[in-house]
Amino acid sequence: MEQVNEGKELFHTYYKDVFRACYYMVQNKYDAEDLCQDVFAKALCEDFQAIQNQKSWLLSIAMNMSRNYLKNNKRMILKETVQLLTFMRFGDSLTIEQKIEKSESKSEVVELMNKLPIRLRKVMVLKYVHECKDKEIADILKIPEGTVRSRHFKGKQLIKKLIQEDKNLFIEWRNGLEKY
């Protein structure tokens, strides 16, 4: 009975974090919910009470299961649905205009993240969505800290490049319209 209560406590404590990690990886609410349930099912089959940093451990399982899901289903291009996350993160304290503005900027960020290779995307999601430190990310992904820093740097560089390319395309498009 005590293990059931501890399992419920584990679930209630980390559900949002695990769901958010899965959702950012697969960009589908229903798939993320399924993955989230699978993460906790796997965790409850293990000796989770003996784990010191349960959040990192669960996020590690979530990242691996999400990666496997994407790999097995050949869904490398994520869908653009961030509405749920926007409202979860910003709550009802913002005006409708602020929510729309935040949603649009979040959508642009997610769109850029979707263009990153999965190995870079995982680091970026853990760094900016879950606000994990490099050491935590290294533990979650089971890679050296130096690799985390390298992937973080490469991810930022690639995003800057993508932003610049988008800006150049917009300028070319606008200049094309001015001719007419």
Side-chain angles (χ1 to χ4, degrees):
M1 187 66 166
E2 187 176 320
Q3 187 174 2
V4 172
N5 289 336
E6 289 175 1
K8 286 181 181 178
E9 184 179 326
L10 180 77
F11 178 81
H12 289 295
T13 303
Y14 298 112
Y15 173 78
K16 287 182 181 181
D17 293 319
V18 171
F19 175 79
R20 193 177 313 137
C22 294
Y23 184 79
Y24 262 84
M25 290 300 292
V26 300
Q27 287 298 299
N28 180 295
K29 176 183 174 185
Y30 303 108
D31 294 340
E33 286 174 350
D34 290 343
L35 280 168
C36 190
Q37 288 178 4
D38 292 344
V39 167
F40 282 101
K42 183 173 183 170
L44 293 175
C45 290
E46 303 288 326
D47 185 19
F48 65 89
Q49 296 96 337
I51 305 296
Q52 287 195 359
N53 191 343
Q54 293 177 332
K55 180 179 177 181
S56 293
W57 179 64
L58 287 168
L59 288 175
S60 176
I61 295 171
M63 286 295 176
N64 288 332
M65 291 183 106
S66 296
R67 183 194 67 230
N68 291 340
Y69 173 83
L70 290 170
K71 188 175 177 182
N72 292 339
N73 292 298
K74 296 178 183 163
R75 297 179 65 168
M76 301 306 279
I77 299 174
L78 300 178
K79 299 172 189 163
E80 284 188 28
T81 308
V82 280
Q83 202 171 38
L84 174 66
L85 285 175
T86 303
F87 291 116
M88 277 176 41
R89 287 289 276 217
F90 300 109
D92 292 325
S93 62
L94 300 177
T95 66
I96 291 176
E97 293 81 13
Q98 289 171 322
K99 285 182 183 179
I100 290 170
E101 187 176 311
K102 294 277 187 194
S103 178
E104 287 173 358
S105 63
K106 270 262 197 215
S107 181
E108 290 169 6
V109 169
V110 170
E111 188 176 315
L112 286 171
M113 296 271 258
N114 292 344
K115 294 178 182 179
L116 294 176
I118 287 182
R119 63 187 177 81
L120 300 179
R121 186 183 320 144
K122 288 193 294 187
V123 170
M124 301 299 274
V125 166
L126 289 170
K127 184 85 168 174
Y128 295 108
V129 176
H130 292 285
E131 299 171 353
C132 293
K133 306 265 187 256
D134 289 349
K135 173 95 175 92
E136 286 180 292
I137 296 170
D139 292 342
I140 290 168
L141 299 179
K142 294 176 180 52
I143 57 176
E145 252 184 276
T147 304
V148 170
R149 287 190 290 274
S150 172
R151 290 181 183 177
H152 177 233
F153 178 78
K154 288 177 185 173
K156 287 193 310 187
Q157 293 301 104
L158 190 54
I159 285 177
K160 285 178 187 176
K161 182 180 174 189
L162 292 169
I163 289 170
Q164 187 61 43
E165 287 173 2
D166 283 350
K167 194 183 296 184
N168 290 341
L169 285 174
F170 176 74
I171 291 169
E172 287 176 24
W173 175 77
R174 195 180 69 207
N175 288 342
L177 284 179
E178 290 173 357
K179 289 179 185 176
Y180 299 102

